[in-house]
Structure formats: C-alpha cells, structure tokens
Amino acid sequence: MKRNLSLLILLLLSLSTWVSAQDKVSGGKVLDAASGKPLPFVTITNTTNKGASLKADADGQFPLPTAKAVLSFRFVGYKTQTVTFTPGQTSLIIKLEAEISGLDEVVVIGYGQQKKKDITSAVSSLSGKEISELPATSINSALQARVPGVQITSAGYQPGGGTNIRIRGINSITQGDGPIYVVDGVILTGDIREINPYDIESIDVLKDASAAAIYGARAAAGVVIITTKKAKTGRASVDYNGYYGIQKIVKTYDFIDGAQYGYLRRLAWFDESATGWPMNDPETDKKIFSGEELKSLAEGKSYDWPSVITQVAQQQSHTLSISNGIGKNKVYLSGNYLNQDGIIKGSNMKRYSLKANVESAVTDKLTIGLNSNYSHIQQNIVSNEAYYTAVTMSPLRPIYDSTGKPSVVIDPNTGTITVNNPLAMVTDAINRRIDDRLIGNMYLDYKVLPGLSFRSNVGADIYKNQQFEYYPRNTSAGYVQKGVAKVQNFGYRDWLWENTLTYDYNPSEDHSLNLLSGFTFQKRRQEWNFEQASGFPTDELTYKNMSLATRRDNIASDYFNWATSSMLGRAIYKYKQRYILNFTARYDGSSRFGAENRHGFFPSISGAWRLIDEPFVGVKFKSRVSDAKIRVSYGIIGNQDVSYDRIFSQMNAATYPFNGNTQSSGYQLGGNKGNSALKWEAQHQFNTGFDLAVLNNRIQMTFDFYNKNIKNLLLQNTLAPSQGFDGTMINVASMNTRGIDIGLKLYPVKTQNFDWQVDLNWSKYKSKVTALLPGRDSLSPYLKVGEAPNSLIFDYVFDGIYKTGDDFKLNPTGRPGDVRIKDINDDGIINQYDRAIVGRTTPKAWGGIWNYFRYKRVSMTVFASYMYGHDIYNRAYMDYVYSDGRKVILKDGLKYWTPENQNTDIPRPNAFGSSTRTLPQGSSSFAVQKGDFLRIRNITLAYDFSPTLLSKIKIRSLNVYAQALEPFLFTGYKGTDPEIGTSGTYDIYPRYRTYLVGLKMGL
C-alpha cells in the first residue's frame, strides 16, 4: 500500500512537472515596448511554414511552434519585427515599437486625443517647432497664413496691438466673430497675447461643426486648442531660446517739401479767386500763411515731421525652460521676458511670463496635475492721431519753439491750440496699460476599471486690466481744461469645472469603441469702472492724484456675471481600422438667455473611410499611394455671444418735475427693450473632404469643402416711439457661407545631405445674407440680402476729370479740372441715388507658402503669404493727392489738372474744394484700389552645430540663426500697407520690418 502511494505521489509530481514544462513551452507573448502592455490580435507569420501562421489572442499570447521557424510579428501602428525561433525555447517575449509617422501623430480633438489617420472631421494642426520658426509675440501672429481656412489680420502695429482671427468666413452679423481658445482644458476668449509662443507644444484648430460640436454653444466661430509643453518621460533638460533685433519702417509716403507746399497753397487760393488771392502777393501770403511759415519760406526751410516721431526700435526676447521627466513626478518650468519698442517714440510693450506644468503619478491608477501661466504686460500706447497728424502737418511749421520744446500754436481769439504737435502727443501725453492674467487648472485622472477612466478638471482665468491716461497742457486735449486725466479698471474671473468619463472597449481586432460623457459648469464675474477729471494745478503729478482736479467730468461703472452648464457626449466607433464613425452632442444652458430658450442642443455626426486599407487595394496601388481617406460630417453649433443684458429692458437716467422741483432725478424707460425669447444663433455646417498622400508620403494633400447655413441671427429691430424704447434685439436673419480649404505638403528633394520641403495652403469662401427683417432685403448700403454682411464699399462712381470743352450739364457751376461723377440712374442730377457698389472687401482667396531647405547643417526657411480678389477703400490716398492748399500732399498729387495736363485723374488744387464739390460726401470710387499682395514674411538662415562637437562641452543642441521679417512686399496697392484693413481708415501706425539674430541651446 505504501509502495502504491509512493508511486502515485511520484506520478503526480511528474505530471505537474510536465504540465509546468508545457506551460513554459507555450509561453509566447507580444507586448508594447513603451508601456509593457499586451498587444491583442497581432498577426504572426511563420515564413518557414506558411500554414503555421496564426494570431495572438486578446491578451497578446500565442503558442510556440514545434519546429525551428522564422516568425514575423505585424501590428497596425507598430514596426514589424522578425525573430528566429529554435526548439528548446520555453518562452518568447516580443516587444513591438510604435511606428511614428505623420498618420500616427496625435491630434487633440477636445476632451480627448485621436490619431491623425482616424480623424473624421476638419482639423488642422501646427506643432510647437513650426510655431517657433517665426519669432511672433502672440499665438495668433504665429498662426497667420499657416493654417487653411484661418484668416488673421492685425488689429494695429503698435507693440502688443493684437490681431483679429476669423475661421472659415463670416459667422455672424452683429455678434462676436472670433473663436474660443482652449488652453490645457481652460476655455478662454480674446487675443491671448499673454501666452509665450515658445511654451506651445501644439495648436489644433477645429474648423467644422463636427469637430467643434463638443463645445456646443461657444463654437460657432471655431475652436483653437492649445497644448502647452510638459516634461518628456525619462528626460531632464534645460533650454534657452533668445533673440535680439531692430525694427524699421517698411514704407513711408513720399510727400512734397516745404517749397512745393507753399506753391500749392498759393495756387489753391488763386484758383478760388484770382483777384481776391493773387499769386505771390505779400498781403495774400500774410493771410494764408502763419508768421513761422513765412519765415520758413523766406529761409528755404522744410521740416520732416514723421521722422521726428519715428525711430529705429529694438526688440528682444529671452525664454528659459527647465524640464524633468524622471520618476513619477514630471515638472516643466518656463520664464519669458519680451521687450519691444515701437517705431513711434513713446510706444513700447514689455511682457513677463511664468509657466509651470506639473504632473504626478500618485499610484498606478491616479494621476494629478497642475498647469499654470501667469503674465504681466506693461504697454505704453501712443495716440492714433499722432502719425496721421505728423504726415499731414505743414512742412513749413517748425517742430520746436525757441526754448527747444515742442511748439504750441494758440489761437488768440478762441484760446485753443490750433496745431496739435504730434511730438508732444507721443512724448508728453501718457497712455499706459497694465495687464495681469493668471490661467491655470488642476486635474486628476483616475483609472476606475480597465478601459474606464475619470477626469476632473478645475480651471480659472483671472484677468485684471488698468489703464492710466493724462493729457498735459501742451496738447489740444489738455490745454483748455488744464490737464485731463483718465483712470479705468477692468477685470473678470472665469471659473470652470469639468468632469468626464472615458471608456475604451475593444472586443476584437475588428471592433473598437471609445465613449465619452461629461458635465461642465462655467461662471464669469466681470467689473469695470472709469473716472475722468480735469483742471489740475500742475502737469507734474499726471493721473497719480485725481483728488487735485477741480472738475469730475465723468464717473461710470459696470458689472455683470453669467454662467453656463453643459452635458456632453461622444462615441467613436472603428470597424476593421478603416471605417470610422463619430457621434457628438452637447446640451448647453446659458444665463445670457431667458427662461424660454435658455437651453440648446448641438449634435453632430461624421465618418471617415480609409480607402487605402481596403483589401481590394492592390500592392501596385499602394506602392504609389501612401494614404487615402474620405471624410464627411454634419453638425450644429451655436453662438452665445449676445450681450448679457439683451433679455432685460433698460431704464435710463432722467430728470422730471416732482413736488415743485423741476429737476428731480429719476429713471425712465428707454434704450433697449428686453426680449426674453432670444434664442441661440445656430450654425448648420456640412463638410466633406479627403486626405491623400502619394509617392511614399512625398506629396500630401488635404481638401475640404464646407457649406454653412447660419440661422436665428440677431439684429436690432428699431421700434416706434410709441413703444417707449429705441429698439429690441430679435432672432430674424440668416446667412450662408461656403468655401474650400486646401493644404499641400511636398518633399521635392529628400536625401541625406539635402532636403527641400514645401507647405502650401489656399482658402476661399463666399458669404451672403439670405434673410433680414421681414419684407426687407436691405437695412443699409452695407447690409443687403445676397451680399456678405458689412463687406461692401458703397460710394459715387468716379468718372475722371472734366476737360476743356466737356458737357457740364451734371455740374452746371463746374469748370475744367473738377471731378466728374457718373449719373447712375440717368435722371440728370447727381444725388444720393447715384451711389453704387464700387468694391467688395472679402478676398477671393488667401494662403501661405512655406519653403524649408537644408544642406547638411545649414538650413534656410522662406515663408510668404498672399491675398487677392478684394478691394480696399484707400481714403487716405485720395486725401493725400487731392490738394485744398491746407494740407501736405503726396508727390503723386503734383500731377493735378492744368490746361496743359488734362489727361489726369487728379483735380486742380482749390482752397475751398470747389473742384471736388460734385462729391456730395467728398469721396468716390477713386479711393477704391485692388488689395492683392504677396508678402515675404520671413527669411531665416540657421546653423545646427554637430552633436559630436557639442557632446565634448556637455551641450545637447545648439542652433544659431538670423532672420529678416517682412523683407519684401509685392503689390499694386498705392498705400503703405495692403493689410491695413478694408474700411478706409488712415495709417495710424506704420508697419515695420525686423532684422534679428537668435540662439537656441539645450543642455
């Protein structure tokens, strides 16, 4: 019995050993090399015995072969790995490395990420490296002409002047038309100039409704998602990026000198009356020139006013960042100092910014993090009148008085300054602006279950603006009032709380599902106050002691708050890695609207078909075509940017008789009549496009066509006086915008020693109003059904200059040398009914061209932008060539009409403008010019030092470069800058060209 028991135990031990050995023999497993996680359903090809090929299971496990074999492991998105198996091996662990390509790049899509190849909607991306190529002072400047469908124009060229951004055309008639920005999960609005571009890891622009619908009521004008830099895993580094440069005016007007000005002034008065104002008559000269001007004429002096207020300006920027990604705690710290002087004296901007991004893996399941950005901006602003005053000032008028101070001319009859000295405006007047902004969020990620994660994010945007102004006695604004001071404070606090659940479900190799659900809440509190006072005993203290003023001219304040709460959801389904569907929806509620329409639902659907991955696509086709994907989407997004008080009726301050007092203070109805039924402006957008790459990704193209029907647009409806209100806001209008975006990336040459890369983008759109108020197809000359809103130039039609012998029936009192206007309606008279559409400011297309060349360690970048097919109302040019004898003119204006020079478009000089009196508004289509241009924005020459050399001195990387910003402009526009705008405003701050040298170093 004992013997049998011993044999049984021995048999069981042997069986256990054999089973254990069998387990080891079948122990093949495929893992992700980076994370160590199993890779499911990996294709394993036995090249020795094709019949023995197989796939790993859902846990990445596979049985080992029974004979010697060569195994090839292939999985989508990973590098193929081949190994040789020999009998006797008891285990085989395969670690596949991710294959990084353009299609595998991660794109931020809002509350998540997605590989570029899986994107179903219109999303354009720009990397931090691409952003840093151009030393822009703001993020929007870095985006200019780089992203298809994104149109960015300057809001002014003063340091810190800001930009205007429009994504895919016009999106509203009366409400805000700029996108929202999402910085590390915090939703922001405005120009966000406070963020240092060198801290940016990537920018993703969500352009169509499907991509932006996850942000619902705030996404009608597009969404710009900004991801800032974080520490790289397993690496510590120190990086410096700095540059220094000088700025010069790009182009100035070519004005006449003092002698020519004196002649034209005499001629203009002579033209009015040859007997009353004879030429070169001393008595006449005393009437039309000041004593100082007569002295300048006698001495042959001429004064260049623009050169006195402008300068060669300096610009510098220094960024130092420290990153540590070793261990469980990742830390990224960055500091930036930017100092930009303006080319007009007295203008300047300084920015100090600090950034800290921290992330800590508390446990295997819990990760917490903090993103923060603080900036302090000091800006000195010069008056918008300064440059215009300088370029139109009499060149005979001295700049300084006998004491060396800016000259001041006082009218003895009125006691006012008759000539506002621009030098005093830029050196003595004060307009100082200080901005402080803190943007940050704290978040936690918790892995609840395999595939299920929870994220909570608390964000804040705290902004404070202070503006201080003082106009002393030697300026026209402060002379009579003995100094004028203005102080205002503006600030807001935005709070955001977001909670989302994300679930990844992959039941098999063919099916993949990503689900997202969430709840968000955002609240803003905003305050503003203003005080203006005058009558100071001295200019020395400026605005610093308002109590010294003898008059309180204006005191005002404002306050409001609003809140939004939202529920959101998204489902992304992939079948066989080539059929992708995306369903997104958001339900928003906003306190900006009344109880009747406080909530809105914004759904979208999109799909993509990866044609390149179809089995029927042959090897021959794939050898030429690297990628082919078709995308289609449709969605609805909203616009909540209605003024917060439009749902309420207003009461205005008033006086009325009461209890025997005829001036009792009180209130009365008036202004806006509240409309509690206001609804969201809703945009219904369809988008279709394709992504194509050929010749091993040497040519890559993205194409998108979109059609947007925008409904419930808000307009101010004027009410009858009997209503007791001026008007009320209503949802009534609609418009349509459709367009095309094309992006093209080329690699004409790609060798070991020489590379050439080209990025092209081209965009166009056409917007038109489809409905206004009931029964009305026009509300103004600039707002009509069938035309883009506020894009028309409406004026009289210039028809040349009257010549000797012409028919003067349209201008019976006219004479040769007068401006001639077309009689549009043929009624024999010139009046307001002869005005017509003489230009359109919407461009037919715009885009950018980026070229990168590299020969060994030397590289050159040439970046250009272009725009064409639009008109600019160049009122400044018309005023600068039409002479009335009172202002300086361009040398082009010397081509004016004379009996000997009748083939000209310039009327004869006349002191009272009788030669232009046929212009009822003093203007015509003569001021309309084509705005087409091609601008070389950036030329960079750089050198990368050899890593072998740098390793000897313990430096990771070193790059030195020289840049010329905006060195060349090609245009037929006659003004100084075709990007000045389209509304006919004068040049208030000239554009500049920058030359700089820089250094990038990593330790």
Side-chain angles (χ1 to χ4, degrees):
M1 181 69 182
K2 290 183 178 180
R3 183 183 178 186
N4 292 338
L5 183 60
S6 298
L7 289 173
L8 180 60
I9 292 173
L10 182 61
L11 180 62
L12 290 174
L13 288 172
S14 301
L15 181 61
S16 175
T17 303
W18 182 82
V19 171
S20 177
Q22 293 301 309
D23 287 341
K24 290 181 180 179
V25 170
S26 61
K29 199 165 189 178
V30 187
L31 306 175
D32 179 281
S35 66
K37 294 181 179 180
L39 292 177
F41 312 114
V42 174
T43 300
I44 306 170
T45 303
N46 190 327
T47 58
T48 307
N49 180 8
K50 296 289 186 182
S53 298
L54 64 143
K55 283 190 177 183
D57 63 17
D59 296 320
Q61 297 181 348
F62 62 94
L64 296 178
T66 57
K68 183 177 181 179
V70 177
L71 304 179
S72 177
F73 296 82
R74 182 167 54 86
F75 191 67
V76 175
Y78 288 79
K79 297 178 182 178
T80 300
Q81 185 174 339
T82 302
V83 299
T84 300
F85 173 81
T86 56
Q89 290 183 252
T90 58
S91 65
L92 183 60
I93 304 299
I94 303 298
K95 296 182 179 181
L96 296 185
E97 295 181 355
E99 185 174 30
I100 305 300
S101 68
L103 298 177
D104 294 314
E105 292 175 358
V106 173
V107 176
V108 181
I109 57 173
Y111 303 100
Q113 296 178 334
Q114 202 173 11
K115 287 186 177 180
K116 185 177 180 180
K117 67 178 183 179
D118 296 332
I119 294 295
T120 58
S121 50
V123 180
S124 292
S125 301
L126 205 63
S127 69
K129 181 179 181 299
E130 293 172 306
I131 295 168
S132 65
E133 290 166 356
L134 184 68
T137 57
S138 69
I139 291 171
N140 284 348
S141 297
L143 281 172
Q144 192 169 24
R146 298 298 299 270
V147 177
V150 178
Q151 188 178 9
I152 297 176
T153 56
S154 175
Y157 302 127
Q158 290 209 44
T163 54
N164 300 312
I165 179 171
R166 178 178 286 170
I167 298 178
R168 288 192 162 184
I170 303 171
N171 298 292
S172 182
I173 295 176
T174 60
Q175 304 308 304
D177 203 23
I180 63 169
Y181 300 86
V182 183
V183 180
D184 293 327
V186 182
I187 299 176
L188 312 173
T189 55
D191 193 33
I192 60 169
R193 61 179 185 161
E194 296 84 1
I195 297 177
N196 177 20
Y198 292 108
D199 285 330
I200 304 301
E201 182 69 27
S202 66
I203 297 179
D204 299 277
V205 183
L206 314 185
K207 297 187 290 187
D208 69 345
S210 173
I214 198 71
Y215 293 101
R218 308 188 67 179
V223 180
V224 179
I225 299 181
I226 298 170
T227 304
T228 62
K229 292 179 180 178
K230 294 178 174 60
K232 304 296 183 184
T233 301
R235 195 178 97 183
S237 62
V238 177
D239 290 274
Y240 168 79
N241 192 328
Y243 62 82
Y244 173 84
I246 59 172
Q247 304 160 123
K248 295 183 177 181
I249 294 178
V250 173
K251 179 182 177 182
T252 58
Y253 289 108
D254 191 8
F255 286 103
I256 58 177
D257 59 23
Q260 293 168 320
Y261 172 76
Y263 173 77
L264 284 181
R265 194 161 183 176
R266 288 164 173 152
L267 182 63
W269 286 91
F270 176 78
D271 184 79
E272 183 64 25
S273 174
T275 57
W277 309 93
M279 287 284 290
N280 300 316
D281 177 63
E283 294 302 317
T284 299
D285 284 353
K286 290 179 182 179
K287 297 176 183 178
I288 63 178
F289 294 107
S290 69
E292 293 174 325
E293 289 177 310
L294 286 174
K295 183 179 179 182
S296 297
L297 280 171
E299 296 176 355
K301 291 183 179 180
S302 183
Y303 298 93
D304 186 356
W305 283 86
S307 68
V308 175
I309 69 166
T310 57
Q311 63 183 358
V312 175
Q314 302 180 45
Q315 179 179 354
Q316 60 179 307
S317 174
H318 307 277
T319 300
L320 181 66
S321 62
I322 301 172
S323 175
N324 187 355
I326 300 174
K328 293 186 176 182
N329 300 315
K330 300 177 182 178
V331 180
Y332 175 85
L333 302 174
S334 172
N336 170 253
Y337 168 69
L338 171 69
N339 188 347
Q340 181 183 9
D341 288 331
I343 57 173
I344 292 183
K345 295 176 180 178
S347 56
N348 169 270
M349 183 190 77
K350 293 180 182 178
R351 182 182 67 204
Y352 307 84
S353 67
L354 293 172
K355 179 154 200 66
N357 288 348
V358 182
E359 188 172 87
S360 177
V362 180
T363 68
D364 292 340
K365 291 188 175 183
L366 177 63
T367 300
I368 61 174
L370 168 70
N371 301 310
S372 63
N373 188 97
Y374 170 75
S375 68
H376 174 78
I377 297 177
Q378 300 173 1
Q379 188 177 359
N380 291 316
I381 305 169
V382 297
S383 169
N384 287 340
E385 299 177 11
Y387 187 67
Y388 172 76
T389 303
V391 298
T392 56
M393 183 70 72
S394 166
L396 298 174
R397 190 173 296 280
I399 298 169
Y400 302 97
D401 61 21
S402 59
T403 66
K405 294 182 179 180
S407 59
V408 176
V409 181
I410 309 298
D411 186 335
N413 297 320
T414 62
T416 60
I417 293 180
T418 57
V419 178
N420 204 10
N421 193 313
L423 184 60
M425 296 167 67
V426 302
T427 58
D428 297 333
I430 297 173
N431 188 345
R432 182 170 295 128
R433 173 174 173 168
I434 300 175
D435 291 308
D436 290 280
R437 191 172 190 179
L438 175 64
I439 303 168
N441 68 320
M442 295 185 294
Y443 62 91
L444 66 86
D445 282 305
Y446 184 73
K447 299 176 182 177
V448 183
L449 295 169
L452 178 65
S453 62
F454 168 74
R455 181 181 177 93
S456 184
N457 172 48
V458 178
D461 177 14
I462 303 173
Y463 175 74
K464 181 181 180 181
N465 165 259
Q466 297 173 290
Q467 191 153 351
F468 308 98
E469 299 177 62
Y470 188 79
Y471 301 95
R473 288 163 170 76
N474 62 344
T475 63
S476 61
Y479 178 77
V480 174
Q481 300 189 65
K482 296 182 178 180
V484 175
K486 301 177 184 179
V487 176
Q488 63 177 323
N489 293 278
F490 171 78
Y492 62 77
R493 292 173 291 282
D494 270 357
W495 302 99
L496 174 69
W497 185 32
E498 298 179 325
N499 297 277
T500 57
L501 275 172
T502 305
Y503 180 57
D504 286 304
Y505 179 58
N506 303 293
S508 69
E509 183 184 15
D510 290 341
H511 301 275
S512 173
L513 182 65
N514 175 271
L515 299 175
L516 169 75
S517 64
F519 169 80
T520 77
F521 177 80
Q522 186 169 9
K523 183 179 179 64
R524 167 176 284 200
R525 174 191 172 111
Q526 181 170 304
E527 298 168 335
W528 171 80
N529 57 70
F530 173 80
E531 180 183 4
Q532 178 176 328
S534 60
F536 291 87
T538 176
D539 289 331
E540 295 299 320
L541 292 177
T542 65
Y543 57 83
K544 297 174 183 176
N545 193 341
M546 301 286 281
S547 64
L548 295 177
T550 58
R551 292 180 296 275
R552 301 290 185 270
D553 300 319
N554 189 6
I555 297 177
S557 64
D558 192 16
Y559 166 86
F560 76 86
N561 59 14
W562 55 261
T564 60
S565 60
S566 312
M567 292 183 291
L568 56 95
R570 179 173 61 213
I572 301 175
Y573 171 69
K574 288 192 294 182
Y575 176 65
K576 290 185 178 294
Q577 300 292 327
R578 56 183 180 269
Y579 307 108
I580 309 165
L581 287 176
N582 185 321
F583 301 89
T584 302
R586 181 162 176 145
Y587 185 71
D588 279 312
S590 173
S591 64
R592 291 173 179 258
F593 298 90
E596 300 175 40
N597 293 296
R598 183 155 288 169
H599 297 89
F601 181 62
F602 305 97
S604 76
I605 181 173
S606 60
W609 175 31
R610 289 194 52 76
L611 175 64
I612 192 67
D613 292 330
E614 286 289 355
F616 60 76
V617 176
V619 175
K620 186 176 181 180
F621 181 82
K622 287 187 175 182
S623 67
R624 298 178 179 177
V625 179
S626 313
D627 184 47
K629 181 176 69 173
I630 299 173
R631 296 173 280 103
V632 180
S633 70
Y634 181 82
I636 303 172
I637 47 182
N639 184 358
Q640 72 160 14
D641 281 339
V642 59
S643 179
Y644 74 99
D645 60 352
R646 288 301 178 179
I647 62 175
F648 304 109
S649 294
Q650 292 180 346
M651 299 188 73
N652 299 331
T655 57
Y656 55 93
F658 177 74
N659 198 23
N661 189 342
T662 59
Q663 293 295 321
S664 297
S665 298
Y667 300 91
Q668 67 180 15
L669 295 177
N672 178 71
K673 180 181 180 181
N675 181 3
S676 60
L678 286 180
K679 296 185 292 186
W680 313 82
E681 291 187 339
Q683 181 186 121
H684 301 246
Q685 184 174 169
F686 168 79
N687 187 96
T688 184
F690 65 82
D691 304 320
L692 181 67
V694 299
L695 302 179
N696 196 25
N697 291 319
R698 295 285 291 273
I699 301 175
Q700 303 173 29
M701 180 181 181
T702 299
F703 173 89
D704 281 280
F705 166 80
Y706 59 90
N707 185 45
K708 300 190 291 187
N709 288 308
I710 310 171
K711 304 177 181 179
N712 298 325
L713 291 173
L714 292 165
L715 287 179
Q716 185 73 8
N717 185 30
T718 303
L719 299 176
S722 58
Q723 295 270 356
F725 295 93
D726 298 330
T728 185
M729 188 72 77
I730 58 175
N731 296 96
V732 65
S734 60
M735 61 182 293
N736 174 267
T737 297
R738 62 179 63 190
I740 295 173
D741 298 335
I742 298 176
L744 188 63
K745 181 174 287 188
L746 309 172
Y747 295 87
V749 181
K750 195 172 185 180
T751 65
Q752 182 177 355
N753 290 329
F754 182 70
D755 287 343
W756 176 21
Q757 180 181 334
V758 183
D759 282 5
L760 305 169
N761 66 79
W762 179 88
S763 303
K764 71 170 297 181
Y765 70 86
K766 184 176 182 179
S767 294
K768 64 178 180 180
V769 175
T770 54
L772 290 169
L773 294 174
R776 301 280 298 276
D777 61 1
S778 175
L779 296 183
S780 76
Y782 313 101
L783 188 57
K784 299 174 177 289
V785 171
E787 298 284 352
N790 305 315
S791 66
L792 299 176
I793 302 175
F794 200 78
D795 211 332
Y796 296 93
V797 179
F798 180 77
D799 196 26
I801 301 296
Y802 279 107
K803 301 178 183 179
T804 303
D806 282 353
D807 185 353
F808 284 84
K809 65 179 181 181
L810 293 176
N811 185 15
T813 62
R815 54 194 175 99
D818 286 355
V819 171
R820 181 166 55 196
I821 299 299
K822 282 188 177 181
D823 182 14
I824 299 298
N825 59 359
D826 290 325
D827 63 355
I829 58 174
I830 300 296
N831 54 29
Q832 67 269 25
Y833 300 108
D834 294 307
R835 298 175 72 200
I837 298 173
V838 294
R840 289 174 170 82
T841 62
T842 301
K844 290 183 178 179
W846 76 92
I849 308 169
W850 182 84
N851 280 274
Y852 172 79
F853 307 90
R854 180 194 63 84
Y855 177 70
K856 294 185 177 179
R857 300 195 178 281
V858 179
S859 63
M860 185 174 72
T861 302
V862 181
F863 173 48
S865 66
Y866 61 89
M867 186 180 294
Y868 63 89
H870 65 294
D871 301 301
I872 298 176
Y873 190 74
N874 192 0
R875 177 63 185 261
Y877 179 80
M878 184 179 73
D879 283 356
Y880 293 164
V881 297
Y882 283 6
S883 174
D884 62 3
R886 290 180 171 86
K887 62 180 182 296
V888 66
I889 66 169
L890 296 173
K891 289 184 177 179
D892 286 354
L894 296 176
K895 303 172 184 177
Y896 54 84
W897 182 94
T898 66
E900 297 76 30
N901 182 35
Q902 301 207 30
N903 293 320
T904 180
D905 288 337
I906 312 295
R908 69 184 193 282
N910 180 271
F912 293 100
S914 65
S915 59
T916 60
R917 283 179 186 165
T918 52
L919 303 176
Q921 290 187 240
S923 62
S924 72
S925 61
F926 176 83
V928 179
Q929 297 173 4
K930 292 296 182 183
D932 304 359
F933 72 88
L934 171 67
R935 187 188 293 275
I936 307 299
R937 292 195 173 273
N938 176 26
I939 299 177
T940 303
L941 186 64
Y943 180 79
D944 285 292
F945 285 83
S946 167
T948 304
L949 174 64
L950 296 177
S951 64
K952 297 178 181 179
I953 54 176
K954 307 300 181 182
I955 295 179
R956 186 181 78 252
S957 62
L958 180 61
N959 174 277
V960 293
Y961 60 91
Q963 286 186 324
L965 304 181
E966 303 192 351
F968 304 109
L969 173 67
F970 305 95
T971 181
Y973 177 68
K974 295 181 180 179
T976 59
D977 182 16
E979 294 184 86
I980 187 176
T982 55
S983 60
T985 55
Y986 292 90
D987 300 66
I988 58 177
Y989 200 100
R991 196 155 185 148
Y992 49 85
R993 179 176 295 138
T994 306
Y995 303 95
L996 57 84
V997 292
L999 171 72
K1000 300 177 185 178
M1001 182 172 62
L1003 301 177

